[in-house]
């Protein structure tokens, strides 16, 4: 009796993880289609898909454990890989888009560009002071 209750609870838990992951992936795809610029699209794609894939893989891990009695290392490694690489990839894509000149939608000032310009000015001042010290 208790074992059947535990099995039912674990099955419901697997269903919740799978439905949650599917919903997150669906909202990510809607966000990619609906958002206006590359930065908000990347945000939707990276955050929601990372959560969605993680929830689906957690549900699959629980399913494999309850049905077959094994802990799947491949699923765990896949989840870790997605958790580590997706945010880094989206950051690099957004940085490349900014360097190519993509402007954020609806903003009046670009704080990232201001930081880049300030860093360039600081480097020029350092080079100037080094030249003056060498003379």
């Amino acid at each position: 009796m208790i074992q059947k209750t535990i099995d039912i609870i674990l099955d419901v838990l697997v269903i919740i993880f799978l439905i949650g992951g599917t919903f997150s992936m669906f909202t990510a795809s809607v966000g990619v289609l609906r958002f206006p610029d590359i930065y908000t699209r990347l945000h939707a794609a990276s955050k929601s898909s990372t959560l969605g894939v993680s929830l689906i893989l957690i549900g699959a891990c629980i399913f494999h454990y309850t049905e077959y009695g094994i802990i799947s290392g491949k699923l765990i490694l896949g989840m870790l890989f997605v958790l580590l690489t997706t945010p880094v990839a989206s950051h690099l894509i957004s940085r490349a888009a900014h360097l190519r000149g993509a402007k954020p939608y609806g903003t009046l000032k670009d704080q990232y560009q201001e930081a880049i310009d300030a860093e360039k000015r600081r480097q020029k001042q350092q080079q100037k002071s080094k030249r003056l010290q060498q003379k």
Side-chain angles (χ1 to χ4, degrees), residues 14-128:
V14 167
I15 290 169
I16 289 171
F17 276 117
L18 292 178
I19 289 174
T22 304
F23 178 73
S24 179
M25 295 291 285
F26 177 73
T27 57
S29 62
V30 169
V32 167
L33 294 174
R34 298 280 309 220
F35 285 144
D37 65 340
I38 189 167
Y39 304 110
T40 53
R41 288 178 182 174
L42 273 172
H43 179 75
S46 66
K47 305 299 183 234
S48 298
S49 66
T50 302
L51 178 66
V53 169
S54 298
L55 289 175
I56 289 172
L57 290 179
I58 289 170
C61 282
I62 294 171
F63 175 77
H64 278 281
Y65 182 71
T66 58
E67 292 296 318
Y68 305 115
I70 60 172
I71 297 174
S72 177
K74 290 179 183 179
L75 292 174
I76 294 170
L77 286 175
M79 185 173 47
L80 288 175
F81 181 75
V82 167
L83 286 173
L84 292 175
T85 57
T86 304
V88 173
S90 68
H91 172 75
L92 291 176
I93 292 170
S94 66
R95 189 168 181 202
H98 187 271
L99 292 175
R100 295 282 295 173
K103 298 294 180 195
Y105 176 77
T107 58
L108 297 177
K109 69 182 203 176
D110 189 0
Q111 293 177 352
Y112 184 58
Q113 188 62 44
E114 290 173 4
I116 290 173
D117 293 341
E119 180 65 24
K120 285 180 183 178
R121 284 192 300 270
R122 188 185 64 78
Q123 287 176 355
K124 284 182 182 179
Q125 287 176 351
Q126 284 180 346
Q127 289 174 355
K128 239 185 211 182

Side-chain angles (χ1 to χ4, degrees), residues 2-18:
I2 293 176
Q3 186 62 34
K4 284 191 174 201
T5 306
I6 291 173
D7 287 341
I8 290 171
I9 290 172
L10 288 175
D11 286 343
V12 168
L13 192 63
V14 167
I15 290 169
I16 289 171
F17 276 117
L18 292 178

